[in-house]
């Protein structure tokens, strides 16, 4: 019973962060929720290992990446990639959310210009806010590799047209 209470608190604390990470890794919002749910189901099944992990955050985000990679390798993902479903946009934008929406869209498009490896490092390091060591552990790479991928990723993002055209003081130009 104590494990289930601890697990429930863990889920409540991590849910939105896991979904957000999956979105920035390239999943649509409903797919991101599926990935987060599958990750948390794995956590439940292996709760003793998750609890005992030296770095629980890195362990869980590694699980998230593995779930996402597995989903992408499936026949369903290959079919969906060839026939993408466009997400419906609302007919009218909400005035106070327009700037935030433009910013989110620009960041999302810029992130898609990165390689999978670069996107994973950027998401785990900056969006999830794992340390370099945690990011390295989650990805199974060395901390120096994290640093070099981040450096190349940030250089690429700094000249990405989606972000360059963005006027952070008053919307898009």
């Amino acid at each position: 019973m104590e494990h289930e209470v601890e697990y429930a608190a863990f889920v409540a604390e991590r849910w939105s962060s896991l979904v957000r990470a999956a979105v920035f890794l390239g999943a649509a919002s409903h797919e991101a929720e599926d990935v987060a749910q599958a990750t948390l189901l794995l956590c439940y099944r292996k709760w003793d290992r998750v609890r005992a992990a030296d770095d629980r955050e890195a362990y869980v985000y590694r699980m998230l990446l593995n779930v996402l990679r597995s989903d992408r390798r499936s026949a369903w993902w290959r079919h969906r990639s060839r026939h993408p479903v466009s997400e419906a946009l609302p007919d009218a934008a909400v005035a106070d959310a327009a700037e935030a929406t433009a910013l989110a869209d620009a960041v999302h498009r810029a992130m898609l210009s990165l390689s999978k490896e670069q996107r994973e490092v950027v998401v785990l390091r900056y969006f999830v806010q794992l340390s370099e060591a945690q990011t390295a552990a989650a990805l199974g790479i060395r901390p120096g590799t994290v640093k070099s991928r981040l450096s190349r990723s940030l250089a690429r993002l700094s000249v990405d047209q989606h972000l360059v055209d963005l006027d952070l003081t008053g919307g898009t130009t």
Side-chain angles (χ1 to χ4, degrees):
M1 185 69 173
E2 178 183 325
H3 292 308
E4 293 200 14
V5 170
E6 183 181 9
Y7 173 77
F10 174 80
V11 169
E13 194 176 294
R14 301 297 191 298
W15 173 256
S16 61
S17 178
L18 290 169
V19 172
R20 193 172 29 255
V23 167
F24 279 108
L25 288 167
S29 57
H30 67 281
E31 293 165 336
E33 290 180 357
D34 291 345
V35 169
Q37 186 172 11
T39 301
L40 291 170
L41 179 60
L42 260 168
C43 287
Y44 182 76
R45 289 181 183 157
K46 299 179 180 190
W47 187 241
D48 288 336
R49 285 187 192 172
V50 172
R51 288 179 69 224
D54 290 336
D55 190 335
R56 187 185 293 184
E57 293 296 311
Y59 190 83
V60 170
Y61 281 98
R62 183 175 189 114
M63 292 171 85
L64 176 92
L65 287 166
N66 289 339
V67 168
L68 186 60
R69 290 171 182 158
S70 177
D71 282 355
R72 296 245 165 116
R73 282 190 296 262
S74 73
W76 173 83
W77 182 262
R78 285 189 299 275
H79 173 73
R80 187 185 180 286
S81 296
R82 281 183 250 133
H83 308 287
V85 177
S86 62
E87 295 203 17
L89 297 174
D91 291 334
V94 178
D96 62 343
E99 290 177 23
T101 301
L103 177 60
D105 182 59
V107 170
H108 185 71
R109 289 176 189 271
M111 291 293 291
L112 291 176
S113 73
L114 298 175
S115 71
K116 177 182 72 79
E117 292 82 11
Q118 290 173 324
R119 195 168 40 249
E120 289 172 351
V121 168
V122 169
V123 168
L124 293 179
R125 184 70 179 99
Y126 292 116
F127 291 99
V128 177
Q129 297 184 343
L130 296 182
S131 68
E132 286 175 356
Q134 289 174 315
T135 301
L139 294 172
I141 59 177
R142 294 178 180 214
T145 304
V146 170
K147 290 179 185 181
S148 63
R149 285 184 187 173
L150 280 173
S151 176
R152 282 187 230 111
S153 301
L154 294 177
R156 183 172 185 146
L157 289 173
S158 72
V159 296
D160 186 278
Q161 203 58 44
H162 296 98
L163 299 178
V164 170
D165 287 344
L166 204 58
D167 175 10
L168 296 177
T169 60
T172 58
T173 57

